[in-house]
């Protein structure tokens, strides 16, 4: 019987992990940025690359952008996201998927939206997740 290894879909996994954490009550979290007013808060998750670590684990590059009403609040939100993702590595699970690494590739930085000027902060992470095997049916 043939087994297929399937890599995890990191974007929805991170979105759900952040939503379930309880630290982002009332904040929109997703992969596609909706039209925002300059006072709205939003966290965008976007896979920006990655490489295989071994036969069952991928090291995925994920960029998280936090929109807020001012730069200080955007940076605070980015630091909260970092803490929740780093805890996933410590716990060994990210939304129920085995997680071996969830660390930033550099510090969060102010990154005002070039179109609207709205305050935002961006952080890029390396997240290593184990895939799953599926048997041919």
């Amino acid at each position: 019987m043939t087994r297929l290894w399937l890599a995890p879909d990191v974007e929805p996994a991170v979105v759900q992990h952040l939503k379930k954490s309880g630290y982002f009550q009332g904040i929109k979290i997703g992969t596609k940025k909706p039209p925002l007013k300059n006072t709205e808060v939003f966290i965008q998750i976007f896979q920006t690359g990655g490489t295989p670590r071994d036969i069952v684990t991928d090291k995925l590059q994920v960029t998280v952008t936090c929109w807020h009403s001012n730069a200080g609040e955007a940076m605070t939100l980015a630091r909260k996201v970092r803490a929740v993702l780093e805890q996933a590595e410590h716990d060994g699970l990210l939304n129920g998927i085995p997680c071996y690494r969830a660390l930033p590739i550099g510090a969060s930085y102010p990154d005002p939206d070039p179109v609207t000027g709205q305050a935002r902060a961006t952080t890029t992470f390396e997240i290593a997740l184990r895939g799953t095997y599926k048997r041919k049916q």
Side-chain angles (χ1 to χ4, degrees):
M1 214 185 256
T2 304
R3 293 189 317 169
L4 298 175
W5 178 81
L6 299 176
D9 194 351
V10 69
E11 288 179 353
V14 172
V15 167
Q16 289 306 310
H17 187 79
L18 293 177
K19 285 181 177 182
K20 290 176 185 176
S21 74
Y23 290 101
F24 306 101
Q25 300 279 337
I27 296 175
K28 297 174 189 171
I29 304 170
T31 59
K32 303 225 185 312
K33 183 179 96 51
L36 298 174
K37 297 182 181 112
N38 279 349
T39 57
E40 288 186 274
V41 181
F42 179 70
I43 301 171
Q44 181 181 25
I45 312 303
F46 188 67
Q47 183 178 349
T48 50
T51 60
R53 184 183 88 171
D54 54 44
I55 195 166
V56 295
T57 306
D58 277 353
K59 295 187 307 182
L60 305 157
Q61 184 173 303
V62 176
T63 299
V64 178
T65 303
C66 300
W67 275 262
H68 215 294
S69 57
N70 65 63
E73 292 296 329
M75 289 295 290
T76 297
L77 188 57
R79 286 191 290 275
K80 272 191 200 175
V81 169
R82 176 182 174 173
V84 169
L85 292 179
E86 286 177 341
Q87 187 63 41
E89 177 181 345
H90 177 76
D91 294 343
L93 289 172
L94 187 140
N95 195 45
I97 301 168
C99 177
Y100 306 115
R101 183 174 178 86
L103 292 175
I105 306 170
S108 301
Y109 60 93
D111 182 26
D113 186 299
V115 175
T116 66
Q118 182 171 357
R120 63 183 192 178
T122 298
T123 314
T124 299
F125 294 86
E126 180 181 86
I127 301 175
L129 298 177
R130 182 179 177 91
T132 56
Y133 279 108
K134 299 292 181 188
R135 293 200 180 274
K136 185 177 178 183
Q137 302 205 10

